Amino acid sequence: MDYPDYAEKLGRLIQAGQAERGILLCGSGVGASIAANKLKGIYAGVCHDTFSGHQGVEHDNMNVLCLGPRVIGPELAMEIITAFLSARFIGNDPGQERHARRVAKIRKLES
Amino acid sequence: MDYPDYAEKLGRLIQAGQAERGILLCGSGVGASIAANKLKGIYAGVCHDTFSGHQGVEHDNMNVLCLGPRVIGPELAMEIITAFLSARFIGNDPGQERHARRVAKIRKLES
């Protein structure tokens, strides 16, 4: 099993509605995020700080968090995971339509 | 113009062979990396440290570096860009075939 296999496994679960969000780990998180984003409906980001961990969900509808244990340690990872899991997409809130517009443009790139 | 428009613009240049690599900026880098990875042949990563900046190229064949100016400052960004531009993919070197195998699995997810 290589990191793209795990990314695909998780992505297929989300595509099938069996999971809402997921977390992938690889050396730096980069390879896992590239692989996961190749799948339709999967929006994966490397986030090594808490701001990105919630903002990726709030603005970009990120549903897969990618972390690199060769770059950050376990306590920071836990706080980023909490930020990720606590956040919700705000693009459908009044005044925040620009985020939904941008996510729609990403969806267009998938088709 | 939104970040997916810039990601697409850069991605099309690389797909057409008019550029080899590129750099995208958005708030945290996450949105830009999601959008860019939706394009075939584009391998984009958020790298906010120099290790990821070169390892993403060496192991994952990353051709687009995504940076978030709301998260890191200009001097760190410059050092990451140097790491990114100085690195080359090592998956075709003797003993490093596992990286080529993983990149081939990502390519399969694109098709």
Side-chain angles (χ1 to χ4, degrees):
Chain A
M1 290 277 284
D2 295 312
Y3 66 78
D5 302 309
Y6 290 102
E8 183 175 11
K9 213 165 173 161
L10 171 62
R12 300 297 180 211
L13 282 173
I14 295 175
Q15 285 178 330
Q18 294 179 270
E20 237 178 80
R21 295 185 192 176
I23 298 166
L24 288 171
L25 278 76
C26 76
S28 67
V30 170
S33 79
I34 293 172
N37 276 314
K38 293 303 179 187
L39 300 170
K40 204 169 173 168
I42 307 304
Y43 309 106
V46 178
C47 299
H48 282 167
D49 65 282
T50 53
F51 169 76
S52 304
H54 63 79
Q55 201 232 26
V57 176
E58 288 160 0
H59 291 188
D60 309 321
N61 209 14
M62 175 173 72
N63 53 14
V64 172
L65 172 67
C66 300
L67 297 170
R70 293 180 78 176
V71 177
I72 63 163
E75 295 303 335
L76 176 55
M78 285 309 300
E79 300 213 356
I80 297 169
I81 288 170
T82 300
F84 168 63
L85 293 177
S86 307
R88 64 171 188 82
F89 179 59
I90 63 166
N92 301 315
D93 293 2
Q96 302 293 337
E97 296 80 5
R98 67 188 183 284
H99 301 301
R101 181 185 73 223
R102 291 163 187 167
V103 166
K105 287 185 178 183
I106 291 177
R107 287 224 177 86
K108 240 184 104 185
L109 294 179
E110 289 183 306
S111 55
Chain B
M1 291 278 282
D2 295 311
Y3 65 79
D5 301 309
Y6 290 102
E8 183 175 10
K9 214 166 172 158
L10 171 62
R12 298 298 179 210
L13 282 173
I14 295 175
Q15 285 178 331
Q18 294 180 271
E20 237 178 81
R21 296 185 193 177
I23 298 166
L24 288 171
L25 278 76
C26 76
S28 67
V30 170
S33 79
I34 293 173
N37 277 314
K38 293 304 181 187
L39 300 169
K40 204 169 172 168
I42 308 304
Y43 310 106
V46 178
C47 299
H48 282 167
D49 64 281
T50 53
F51 168 76
S52 304
H54 62 80
Q55 201 233 24
V57 177
E58 290 160 359
H59 291 189
D60 310 321
N61 209 14
M62 175 173 73
N63 54 13
V64 171
L65 172 66
C66 300
L67 297 170
R70 293 179 79 177
V71 177
I72 63 163
E75 295 303 336
L76 175 56
M78 285 309 299
E79 300 213 357
I80 297 169
I81 288 169
T82 300
F84 168 62
L85 293 178
S86 308
R88 63 170 189 83
F89 179 58
I90 62 166
N92 301 315
D93 293 4
Q96 303 293 335
E97 296 80 6
R98 68 189 184 282
H99 302 301
R101 180 186 72 221
R102 291 161 185 168
V103 166
K105 287 185 177 183
I106 292 177
R107 288 225 177 84
K108 240 183 103 186
L109 294 179
E110 289 183 307
S111 56

